[in-house]
Amino acid sequence: DQQVKQNSPSLSVQEGRISILNCDYTNSMFDYFLWYKKYPAEGPTFLISISSIKDKNEDGRFTVFLNKSAKHLSLHIVPSQPGDSAVYFCAASNDYKLSFGAGTTVTVRA
Amino acid sequence: GAGVSQSPSNKVTEKGKDVELRCDPISGHTALYWYRQSLGQGLEFLIYFQGNSAPDKSGLPSDRFSAERTGGSVSTLTIQRTQQEDSAVYLCASSFSTYTEAFFGQGTRLTVV
């Protein structure tokens, strides 16, 4: 049962523009959400997180928004840079177990 | 070490053979996770260790899979009688506590032929 869903397998964006990645979840017990970035042949690296008591968290070019009523979160990257081309995984936690989405492959075009 | 270390980075094995995958977590991290990523799929939870507590093995796909963590540090994931569907990248992660981010190793790419 996929509790965390990333419905867009890929996203292509022009350099300098905004990238918006979406993630939906079904388990209302999730209380901590994270985004990871993964390059080929490397493990995922932590990008940004948000607690369920917040609706926004910003770190430089990355902002995560959480809409608990809609069970939806999104990651905004602005401005997008070529080095942002990677697979992005959304993850949600209840107690300790991190459940991951299938990932969205972002390609930033020059 | 500075990060989570996994070995080997690549493993090709014949169907039916046993394999052992090793994970060295970040020093001081009490939580350790194993995940796997099959081709085109997300990260599938396998097992979780936290300190001296009983591990959460709920994600192990069959009794051919087992894992242990010795001395609260190094972990070994063992797959017995490997099958072709076991082919995947096996990722280990560790974290300082429950509500901090988990740091991943580079993974072990297992190919069963």
Side-chain angles (χ1 to χ4, degrees):
Chain A
D1 180 28
Q2 193 78 8
Q3 298 188 65
V4 179
K5 298 180 182 179
Q6 294 176 257
N7 292 318
S8 296
S10 63
L11 173 69
S12 180
V13 64
Q14 190 81 33
E15 181 179 2
R17 305 295 288 269
I18 185 171
S19 295
I20 300 176
L21 292 84
N22 294 301
C23 177
D24 297 292
Y25 61 95
T26 57
N27 188 344
S28 59
M29 299 301 291
F30 286 142
D31 55 7
Y32 191 58
F33 304 88
L34 309 92
W35 284 93
Y36 280 81
K37 176 180 178 180
K38 185 180 184 301
Y39 293 118
E42 294 183 11
T45 55
F46 170 75
L47 200 55
I48 192 169
S49 64
I50 188 168
S51 165
S52 61
I53 63 174
K54 295 186 175 182
D55 55 18
K56 177 183 176 181
N57 187 28
E58 189 172 353
D59 183 2
R61 297 186 297 114
F62 304 92
T63 302
V64 56
F65 296 92
L66 176 63
N67 183 334
K68 285 185 62 179
S69 61
K71 295 191 180 67
H72 178 84
L73 68 156
S74 62
L75 174 68
H76 292 205
I77 306 172
V78 55
S80 300
Q81 298 175 353
D84 296 332
S85 295
V87 179
Y88 290 78
F89 290 98
C90 169
S93 172
N94 171 27
D95 191 12
Y96 61 81
K97 188 185 299 183
L98 283 174
S99 297
F100 285 84
T104 297
T105 300
V106 173
T107 303
V108 179
R109 308 186 309 272
Chain B
V4 178
S5 178
Q6 291 186 245
S7 60
S9 54
N10 280 286
K11 176 71 176 179
V12 180
T13 190
E14 291 182 353
K15 178 182 173 181
K17 295 285 180 69
D18 298 351
V19 294
E20 281 190 357
L21 312 179
R22 177 187 168 104
C23 172
D24 283 274
I26 294 172
S27 178
H29 281 192
T30 58
L32 187 147
Y33 307 78
W34 282 98
Y35 287 83
R36 74 175 176 181
Q37 184 180 19
S38 302
L39 191 63
Q41 303 296 313
L43 296 168
E44 176 188 4
F45 169 80
L46 297 177
I47 189 169
Y48 167 78
F49 296 91
Q50 172 60 279
N52 295 321
S53 303
D56 177 352
K57 304 179 181 180
S58 61
L60 295 178
S62 77
D63 58 8
R64 296 185 295 104
F65 288 72
S66 63
E68 63 178 20
R69 189 178 184 191
T70 55
S73 182
V74 172
S75 178
T76 303
L77 177 69
T78 301
I79 309 173
Q80 295 179 310
R81 304 181 304 280
T82 51
Q83 303 294 314
Q84 287 187 328
E85 61 263 28
D86 300 335
S87 297
V89 176
Y90 289 80
L91 291 157
C92 174
S94 70
S95 66
F96 191 68
S97 67
T98 300
Y99 286 103
T100 59
E101 63 270 22
F103 292 84
F104 282 83
Q106 83 282 10
T108 294
R109 180 175 295 279
L110 175 66
T111 304
V112 182
V113 297

